[in-house]
Amino acid sequence: MIQKWFKNIGPGTLVAAAFIGPGTVTLCTLAGVNFGTNLLWAMLLSIFATIVLQEMAARLGIVSQKGLSEVLRHEIAKPGLRNFMMVLILSAIVIGNAAYEAGNISGGVLGLETVLGNVVIDFGSFSLNILSLCIGIIAFVLLFIGNYKVLEKILVVLVLLMSVSFVITAIITKPNLIAIFKGMLVPSFPENSLFTIIGLIGTTVVPYNLFLHASLVKEKWKSDEDLSYAKKDTFISIVLGGMVSMAIIISAAGIPSGSINNGADLALGLEPLYGAFAKYFLAIGLFAAGITSAITAPLAAAFVAKGCLGWKDGMKSLRFRFVWGGILFLGVLFSSIGIKPIEIIKFAQVANGMLLPIMVGVLLWVMNKKTVLGKYGNTKLQNFFGLCILVITIFLGLRSILKVFNIL
């Protein structure tokens, strides 16, 4: 039975790996440093929302044997509305993934900089970060060749090592359990915490994962009878990933406020476990997380474009490579021009949080189409949870926009 379960571990682990990236480590550390355990409720909400939405995406992929963007293209009857939705989704995914890719590459740079220091070349008023360029070249070569599974497994192991380290650290620091449960169960909005809350949601409920998950499950499972395996895979993977995110916040809660000024300072969260060697463990983990995410984000954007535009050719076609190449280029560009990596990562997660309501609304509409899912469409309870998530993401997105323009 255990062997059969391990055989059916699949896309859920990739979804979890996508949000245990450099953005998660950075933002969860900043949340712990600046607000203690007060924002654990936002992470708990994010985990619940991710389980609900990714289960829908997985169910859609298995039952329809199509990706989310393919289903939308076939189900929207009016050409004008269909074209508008395709442009909207493509724009949202391209903008979101470009920002996310910049955060991924910047996360890998943070890891390298903790060991190598800054490697920057100045061209007059313009500065080029060589480490960003190096990570971009590695990701390009791996994507172009298409044979990166062995390297990806090695990198995932390194990310897991960092993740387990944070969990152990959270335990050995002997945190206040009452404060932890209060932070998880009692929502609060400390001063200047709004963008951090949206970022925590954006770094966990990753919009492009909805498209990627639906596309991946249909490659692994072909029958409706496999839905139970997909649900277990999704639930277990995301819960474990969420526990790691919470452990990072708890570990960082003991770091003095104002201590995080650069990438190396993120290692303060691991010092209780590794002491002076903490920065090296963090460096390896951030670099690995950055590279794995730098590969998956452009691929996801290319799959979305393929589905939206109805391309029939494969992954090695020129236009498929053009899409992921464009996302990768933008990521390298934004992470190379002198903006602080931590600021890029924060922006990427906030951008994801603001794009999320669009993706949730689209998914809910599809999940209620009987022509697509038949008896496997959403139940009333699933719709209720989905609508609650949609309302919360709209509320937080609007608040962030109002705050940006100093209206709130």
Side-chain angles (χ1 to χ4, degrees):
M1 183 178 175
I2 294 176
Q3 186 178 2
K4 190 175 182 182
W5 182 80
F6 273 108
K7 183 182 177 183
N8 282 285
I9 289 177
T13 55
L14 294 178
V15 170
F19 70 74
I20 303 295
T24 298
V25 177
T26 303
L27 209 67
C28 288
T29 301
L30 292 172
V33 170
N34 296 325
F35 306 105
T37 55
N38 289 320
L39 299 186
L40 283 173
W41 67 268
M43 185 51 63
L44 186 64
L45 173 66
S46 301
I47 296 165
F48 175 75
T50 304
I51 291 171
V52 171
L53 297 176
Q54 295 297 159
E55 186 278 329
M56 291 182 192
R59 182 159 29 104
L60 174 68
I62 292 173
V63 174
S64 70
Q65 287 296 296
K66 294 176 183 175
L68 178 54
S69 51
E70 292 175 81
V71 171
L72 288 172
R73 190 167 53 83
H74 284 100
E75 288 302 313
I76 300 175
K78 295 182 179 179
L81 180 60
R82 180 171 63 244
N83 292 336
F84 172 75
M85 283 303 300
M86 293 300 101
V87 170
L88 181 65
I89 290 169
L90 276 171
S91 301
I93 290 297
V94 168
I95 292 170
N97 276 30
Y100 205 73
E101 184 70 353
N104 294 332
I105 293 172
S106 296
V109 169
L110 276 179
L112 292 176
E113 283 182 345
T114 57
V115 178
L116 302 176
N118 291 324
V119 185
V120 177
I121 296 178
D122 293 319
F123 300 96
S125 58
F126 177 77
S127 296
L128 177 66
N129 191 316
I130 297 300
L131 297 179
S132 295
L133 191 59
C134 291
I135 290 174
I137 291 171
I138 293 170
F140 178 86
V141 171
L142 292 172
L143 282 165
F144 191 84
I145 295 172
N147 186 15
Y148 51 87
K149 291 192 178 294
V150 174
L151 177 62
E152 189 176 46
K153 286 178 181 177
I154 295 170
L155 294 172
V156 166
V157 169
L158 296 174
V159 174
L160 283 173
L161 174 64
M162 181 184 66
S163 301
V164 171
S165 299
F166 273 112
V167 173
I168 296 171
T169 302
I171 295 170
I172 66 175
T173 52
K174 297 180 180 178
N176 186 327
L177 293 179
I178 295 176
I180 289 174
F181 282 111
K182 183 180 178 182
M184 288 173 59
L185 303 175
V186 181
S188 62
F189 291 82
E191 189 177 354
N192 298 321
S193 66
L194 179 61
F195 285 141
T196 303
I197 292 169
I198 295 171
L200 288 174
I201 294 173
T203 195
T204 309
V205 194
V206 182
Y208 79 70
N209 269 346
L210 300 175
F211 292 88
L212 191 61
H213 203 177
S215 296
L216 290 174
V217 291
K218 67 185 178 67
E219 301 298 327
K220 186 172 184 65
W221 294 297
K222 303 295 184 183
S223 169
D224 299 350
E225 296 174 358
D226 295 323
L227 281 171
S228 61
Y229 295 121
K231 288 181 179 179
K232 289 177 185 176
D233 172 52
T234 302
F235 180 81
I236 293 172
S237 300
I238 292 170
V239 167
L240 291 176
M243 287 173 62
V244 171
S245 298
M246 286 189 168
I248 295 172
I249 295 175
I250 294 167
S251 299
I255 301 173
S257 182
S259 299
I260 306 295
N261 299 308
N262 54 53
D265 291 339
L266 294 175
L268 292 172
L270 287 173
E271 278 193 356
L273 181 61
Y274 293 118
F277 293 99
K279 73 174 185 178
Y280 298 105
F281 280 90
L282 183 81
I284 293 169
L286 280 178
F287 174 72
I291 288 287
T292 52
S293 300
I295 292 169
T296 55
L299 264 184
F303 276 123
V304 170
K306 184 174 182 287
C308 284
L309 301 174
W311 298 343
K312 301 299 183 184
D313 37 14
M315 292 173 58
K316 293 191 176 182
S317 68
L318 182 62
R319 51 189 178 184
F320 190 89
R321 284 174 167 171
F322 178 79
V323 175
W324 63 247
I327 297 294
L328 183 58
F329 172 77
L330 290 174
V332 172
L333 178 66
F334 292 146
S335 66
S336 301
I337 55 178
I339 304 172
K340 288 183 178 180
I342 287 180
E343 294 303 317
I344 292 176
I345 291 171
K346 286 167 67 178
F347 170 77
Q349 310 314 324
V350 172
N352 263 346
M354 293 172 70
L355 289 170
L356 188 58
I358 300 171
M359 301 298 104
V360 175
V362 165
L363 181 64
L364 278 175
W365 178 75
V366 170
M367 296 308 296
N368 285 279
K369 295 283 289 182
K370 295 297 181 186
T371 53
V372 178
L373 289 156
K375 65 179 181 179
Y376 295 105
N378 271 4
T379 64
K380 290 181 180 178
L381 183 62
Q382 288 168 328
N383 279 330
F384 172 74
F385 287 147
L387 286 171
C388 287
I389 294 166
L390 180 61
V391 169
I392 291 168
T393 55
I394 291 173
F395 169 72
L396 291 173
L398 286 175
R399 284 196 63 172
S400 66
I401 293 170
L402 294 174
K403 191 170 180 65
V404 165
F405 291 100
N406 294 318
I407 301 173
L408 186 64

